[in-house]
Amino acid sequence: MRLSAVLRWATGAALVLALPTAMAAERVQVVTSFSILADMVDNVGGEHVEATSLIGPDSDAHSYSPSPGDVRTLSHATLVVFNGLRFEGWMDRLLGTSGYQGTLVTATDGITPLMHDGHDHADDHAQGTADPHAWQDMARARTYVTNIRDGLIEADAEHEADYRANADRYLGQLDDADAEIRQQLGGVPADTAVITGHESFGYFADAYELRFLAPEGLSTATDPSAARIARLVDTIRGQHVQALFHENMTSPSAIIQLAEETGLPIAGTLYADALASEGEASSYIGMMRHNAKVLHQALADGQATAVTPD
Ligand SMILES: [Zn+2]
């Protein structure tokens, strides 16, 4: 082989090898606070973005505290998306520490929030604040998507047409899923109550006309005491409760204990603040469909189906 041929070959090989890295570097680096937002960013951003979530699937936003690694992750970002409404009580400090100067999207901007009198993700546990879990209503999730779309256009105007087309397609999928869920849960008797681990389903209950109880004491961080369990059993007996549910980021022991004490079935797992690592609930739309299906199966005929807890 002549030297020029070797050079040509070597240059060609180097180009082939370098290409994927170069393309990856050109993608818009988006950091989101939790997994549901990262899935929305993937849907709107498509091939132009790489989304990284600080809080991963099946992980609890309540007990989260940022690490030095998160500061480094933020320093490589060109777009940061977080929920707002004080869901991420740690966000301001993290942004300050990292010195992040890029585009910032508050996904709930423009949403009319429900007021919340239960748990609060912020440090001060104030009552009467806005409920941050607005993604649990797919109509409000439309606002998340348009805010993310506008943030991507601001950070990467070159691909505006793609972001608009992707967002329109995704909004159509949200509308379809919302209509299906509405129909599926329409038949659930109005006085049926569902007990979950923490108060994350206010928007879901409001949108699909269900009643959720998240009794005080069933927090995600701690297991309730025996006295608390006894009070919870009284609460459950005083209500028309049909079923108990696990939550993917909640300690299962409290719900299992309540099931034993009340004889109520545990009818499955609901996803509130985090996607599943795999399976049907590993996307936002899949998670909403999964929750509706599990609730429908347990409640539709007023007769809960027993499912052995895992
Ligand atoms: Zn929560």
Side-chain angles (χ1 to χ4, degrees):
M1 212 188 297
R2 299 219 319 268
L3 183 60
S4 62
V6 172
L7 275 177
R8 244 195 333 269
W9 178 86
T11 314
L15 273 178
V16 168
L17 287 175
L19 207 55
T21 326
M23 280 173 70
E26 278 171 26
R27 291 207 271 170
V28 180
Q29 299 296 309
V30 186
V31 173
T32 70
S33 53
F34 68 119
S35 51
I36 290 165
L37 297 179
D39 178 57
M40 290 177 173
V41 168
D42 277 335
N43 275 283
V44 180
E47 60 183 1
H48 304 307
V49 306
E50 187 168 337
T52 306
S53 182
L54 296 175
I55 305 167
D58 286 324
S59 298
D60 188 355
H62 296 253
S63 57
Y64 174 78
S65 71
S67 68
D70 294 336
V71 176
R72 278 197 299 279
T73 304
L74 271 191
S75 69
H76 299 303
T78 33
L79 178 66
V80 170
V81 182
F82 71 113
N83 186 75
L85 299 179
R86 310 204 304 172
F87 182 66
E88 304 95 339
W90 39 269
M91 197 75 199
D92 282 349
R93 209 174 336 147
L94 178 61
L95 287 170
T97 308
S98 69
Y100 177 74
Q101 297 290 334
T103 309
L104 199 57
V105 169
T106 309
T108 53
D109 254 1
I111 279 173
T112 306
L114 294 175
M115 297 317 274
H116 197 28
D117 52 12
H119 85 291
D120 191 82
H121 283 250
D123 291 333
D124 57 2
H125 293 274
Q127 302 240 321
T129 53
D131 180 346
H133 307 85
W135 63 86
Q136 287 289 343
D137 170 11
M138 295 191 95
R140 285 181 170 93
R142 299 184 109 263
T143 304
Y144 282 59
V145 174
T146 52
N147 284 335
I148 287 168
R149 176 199 65 199
D150 294 347
L152 283 168
I153 292 170
E154 192 184 322
D156 177 31
E158 195 189 327
H159 297 112
E160 171 169 355
D162 287 350
Y163 296 139
R164 290 198 183 279
N166 291 346
D168 285 348
R169 194 198 53 234
Y170 188 53
L171 288 170
Q173 292 170 5
L174 290 192
D175 289 345
D176 290 349
D178 187 46
E180 274 171 42
I181 291 172
R182 217 162 272 287
Q183 198 187 18
Q184 194 170 33
L185 295 177
V188 173
D191 61 339
T192 310
V194 175
I195 298 257
T196 57
H198 89 290
E199 207 169 289
S200 309
F201 292 99
Y203 289 93
F204 193 95
D206 187 59
Y208 305 113
E209 294 174 36
L210 294 175
R211 201 158 63 93
F212 282 77
L213 300 175
E216 204 187 330
L218 272 185
S219 83
T220 59
T222 52
D223 288 335
S225 65
R228 255 202 180 147
I229 286 283
R231 282 204 298 278
L232 289 170
V233 169
D234 284 346
T235 307
I236 289 168
R237 292 204 171 120
Q239 307 274 348
H240 184 198
V241 173
Q242 280 291 332
L244 307 170
F245 291 87
H246 284 302
E247 243 179 77
N248 65 322
M249 10 67 74
T250 312
S251 154
S253 62
I255 289 288
I256 291 171
Q257 215 179 325
L258 280 177
E260 282 167 2
E261 299 269 342
T262 59
L264 283 168
I266 296 171
T269 299
L270 297 177
Y271 293 82
D273 294 8
L275 298 177
S277 305
E278 53 185 25
E280 66 174 347
S282 60
S283 73
Y284 167 66
I285 291 178
M287 168 193 109
M288 296 298 285
R289 282 211 168 98
H290 168 92
N291 286 348
K293 185 181 76 184
V294 168
L295 286 162
H296 172 78
Q297 283 168 354
L299 307 173
D301 53 0
Q303 192 65 52
T305 317
V307 174
T308 317
D310 46 31

